[in-house]
Amino acid sequence: MDVSVQTMDDNKIKAEVTLDAKTVDAKIDAIYKDYAKRYNFPGFRRGRAPRPVIDNAVGREAILATATEELINEAYPLVVEQEKLYPVASPDFGEPSTAESGKPLSFEFTLAVKPVFELSSYDPVEIEVPKAEPTEKEVDSQIDALREHYKSYASADEGAVLENTNSAEINVVATKSDGEEIKSLSGDQPFFALGIGLYSESFDEHVKGMKVGEKRSFKIDVPKDEQAVYFADLTGEEVSFEVTVKAIQEEKLPELTDEWVKETLQMDSVEDLRKNVAESIERQVEQFLPQIKENACARVLVERFDDEVPESMVEQAESTLLQDFFTQLQSQGMSFDTYLKSRSITSEQFKEDVKKQAADQAAEELALEAWAHHAGIEVTDEDVSEEFAKAGLEDPKKTEEEWRRTGRLYMIREGILRAKAMENVIDTAKITEVEFDPDQAKE
């Protein structure tokens, strides 16, 4: 197979391919044999019909057309691998000539390939990562979260009002504009808290500040995109409310004492708890530190990527993200509508978020590839074979050959190239260890 590749505008290449006459004849012969075995021809045993008989039955043009299609489809992936091309779209073969016995077959195709971009800087990146040894503030934050898990509720003092730090027992009477009671919204709510999405933000604003025994009446126009649990079937309607606060409860966190630690957590003392929490934080930091470094380095590289990401790459990344998302959703037995309601977002917001993720992912990939190109990082055939060997496949060599035959090895090469680039970025990075601030993480 002879191949010549010419670079064109708009990140496209034009490849001219010539298959020798021996390859063409072998394919035509294989097609004839296949037809002879697959169909019954009167007067001949299956697989024994001569070419003239097959030509008379199905047409020689059909045989040659099939041979041409198979030759091109088999050659294209080999060209992609041989020339180390990175397609971002399907090839355009135009109108190829038809294969003929005893003659070579030439065809050409144009292909959009991944462009090579440049970063604004290739200086070592500077990142900050949390120290392995936790601070007292980190330990305090973890213990506070633990106490929050064991919190209890007690009746609030006289004069207390409903606010973000407590909960209430309320009675709700909800009616439509025609006076019909809405049973799904009405009745006693033994545990109501602001901001939990039980009713809506507008509802919360109306009842905020109420005292025990107080009654308030108000109306709400339910927005068409309302995602609150109890408003699912009332979007676009006006709802009248009469709310009475029957009781208010305040959160009570357990006092951090040796006795509480022994009784609840089965540890010897508060000191023992703090030591245990500190060791847990250290293990977490150690476990997630490689990913933290990668994420931080990737953010810096993307900031140095000033070009426009090709739309075809964004669409490809978006398609992959959606496929992975719906596969995971199906495995969890959750419907798309249920997912949207659980996140309090609309389908349009979901689409925008996925598109942004796809654009960010594509930009990160191009930035890493730009770094690899600048650093002279390459992917060898041995690297590719090792990747298949590490995958734990039953027959790595057979799978690799299948990927080569179908023209998909470039995807493996891309992944290895980006992994090598990231390793190089981290190895050369200027890394500063800083104390992790739990308060900043909550903002």
Side-chain angles (χ1 to χ4, degrees):
M1 180 174 68
D2 293 326
V3 181
S4 66
V5 176
Q6 175 187 351
T7 302
M8 303 171 66
D9 295 332
D10 300 325
N11 300 309
K12 291 184 178 180
I13 60 95
K14 180 179 180 180
E16 296 179 352
V17 185
T18 300
L19 304 176
D20 58 36
K22 184 179 179 180
T23 300
V24 175
D25 286 346
K27 175 57 67 175
I28 293 174
D29 185 51
I31 297 296
Y32 272 113
K33 289 180 178 178
D34 180 62
Y35 270 76
K37 291 179 181 178
R38 212 186 324 166
Y39 302 104
N40 287 320
F41 295 93
F44 298 92
R45 287 186 297 166
R46 187 181 291 272
R48 296 292 186 176
R51 290 191 178 189
V53 172
I54 297 175
D55 289 342
N56 186 55
V58 301
R60 181 171 175 75
E61 294 78 9
I63 298 292
L64 296 180
T66 301
T68 302
E69 182 179 359
E70 291 191 8
L71 285 165
I72 293 176
N73 289 340
E74 291 171 4
Y76 166 73
L78 300 179
V79 175
V80 170
E81 175 62 18
Q82 176 179 306
E83 301 299 320
K84 301 296 185 288
L85 303 176
Y86 294 89
V88 294
S90 299
D92 180 5
F93 291 101
E95 294 294 334
S97 57
T98 303
E100 295 184 41
S101 297
K103 295 182 180 181
L105 172 66
S106 295
F107 67 93
E108 61 184 36
F109 63 87
T110 57
L111 179 67
V113 295
K114 183 175 290 188
V116 176
F117 292 99
E118 294 292 340
L119 301 180
S120 59
S121 170
Y122 293 97
D123 292 336
V125 303
E126 299 182 17
I127 62 172
E128 294 181 344
V129 299
K131 287 183 177 180
E133 184 177 348
T135 63
E136 291 298 310
K137 193 171 185 178
E138 284 180 86
V139 175
D140 289 339
S141 179
Q142 291 274 358
I143 291 177
D144 286 344
L146 185 63
R147 292 170 64 208
E148 184 77 17
H149 179 73
Y150 289 96
K151 67 184 176 183
S152 59
Y153 293 88
S155 295
D157 296 336
E158 186 177 351
V161 299
L162 180 57
E163 53 190 356
N164 292 326
T165 58
N166 56 30
S167 62
E169 180 183 352
I170 63 175
N171 176 266
V172 180
V173 178
T175 55
K176 295 183 179 180
S177 56
D178 59 4
E180 179 188 353
E181 183 177 355
I182 306 171
K183 295 188 181 299
S184 61
L185 294 177
S186 300
D188 287 336
Q189 292 292 346
F191 184 88
F192 171 81
L194 300 175
I196 62 175
L198 194 60
Y199 285 92
S200 70
E201 291 183 7
S202 179
F203 181 94
D204 289 356
E205 287 300 317
H206 278 95
V207 301
K208 188 175 183 179
M210 290 182 68
K211 298 180 179 180
V212 176
E214 184 178 352
K215 180 184 294 185
R216 285 186 187 177
S217 299
F218 51 88
K219 295 180 180 180
I220 292 178
D221 291 321
V222 183
K224 291 185 177 180
D225 59 351
E226 178 61 63
Q227 297 290 321
V229 176
Y230 284 0
F231 286 95
D233 300 322
L234 296 166
T235 56
E237 293 195 35
E238 181 187 72
V239 179
S240 297
F241 288 95
E242 185 178 89
V243 179
T244 304
V245 175
K246 302 174 70 174
I248 292 179
Q249 303 91 22
E250 288 183 332
E251 293 182 0
K252 297 291 184 181
L253 293 179
E255 186 179 353
L256 186 61
T257 63
D258 290 343
E259 289 72 25
W260 179 78
V261 170
K262 289 178 182 178
E263 181 179 342
T264 308
L265 305 175
Q266 286 75 53
M267 296 185 190
D268 294 335
S269 63
V270 173
E271 183 181 352
D272 187 31
L273 171 62
R274 296 187 68 83
K275 180 182 178 182
N276 186 277
V277 169
E279 291 174 351
S280 175
I281 293 174
E282 287 183 11
R283 288 193 298 270
Q284 290 179 43
V285 171
E286 183 180 352
Q287 178 183 355
F288 293 108
L289 192 57
Q291 191 61 54
I292 292 173
K293 288 181 180 179
E294 283 192 17
N295 292 342
C297 288
R299 283 194 294 271
V300 176
L301 291 188
V302 170
E303 289 172 1
R304 298 179 182 182
F305 183 82
D306 299 327
D307 292 284
E308 192 75 22
V309 178
E311 187 61 29
S312 59
M313 288 190 62
V314 176
E315 291 174 355
Q316 191 176 50
E318 187 176 356
S319 176
T320 301
L321 285 172
L322 286 172
Q323 184 177 354
D324 292 344
F325 168 78
F326 283 107
T327 298
Q328 183 178 7
L329 208 62
Q330 187 177 19
S331 68
Q332 295 174 346
M334 183 185 295
S335 71
F336 183 52
D337 286 341
T338 302
Y339 171 83
L340 293 177
K341 289 179 180 178
S342 70
R343 297 295 187 275
S344 297
I345 59 174
T346 65
S347 59
E348 289 303 317
Q349 290 172 323
F350 172 80
K351 291 177 184 177
E352 290 175 7
D353 183 53
V354 171
K355 193 169 187 66
K356 184 180 184 305
Q357 286 184 52
D360 291 344
Q361 179 178 310
E364 180 182 325
E365 291 177 357
L366 289 173
L368 282 169
E369 289 164 12
W371 183 281
H373 180 75
H374 178 82
I377 297 171
E378 295 182 347
V379 178
T380 65
D381 292 339
E382 289 74 18
D383 291 331
V384 174
S385 296
E386 185 179 347
E387 194 70 16
F388 280 97
K390 290 190 301 184
L393 301 168
E394 185 176 342
D395 192 338
K397 291 184 178 180
K398 182 179 179 180
T399 305
E400 180 182 352
E401 187 54 41
E402 181 184 344
W403 279 61
R404 188 187 311 279
R405 189 174 63 253
T406 54
R408 293 182 291 165
L409 274 189
Y410 74 90
M411 292 187 284
I412 302 297
R413 291 183 183 278
E414 285 177 322
I416 297 172
L417 184 71
R418 291 193 291 267
K420 282 189 170 186
M422 178 58 76
E423 184 178 353
N424 182 262
V425 172
I426 294 175
D427 287 344
T428 59
K430 297 179 180 178
I431 301 174
T432 303
E433 290 189 342
V434 297
E435 293 185 355
F436 175 72
D437 189 341
D439 293 336
Q440 288 183 355
K442 296 175 185 176
E443 296 177 358

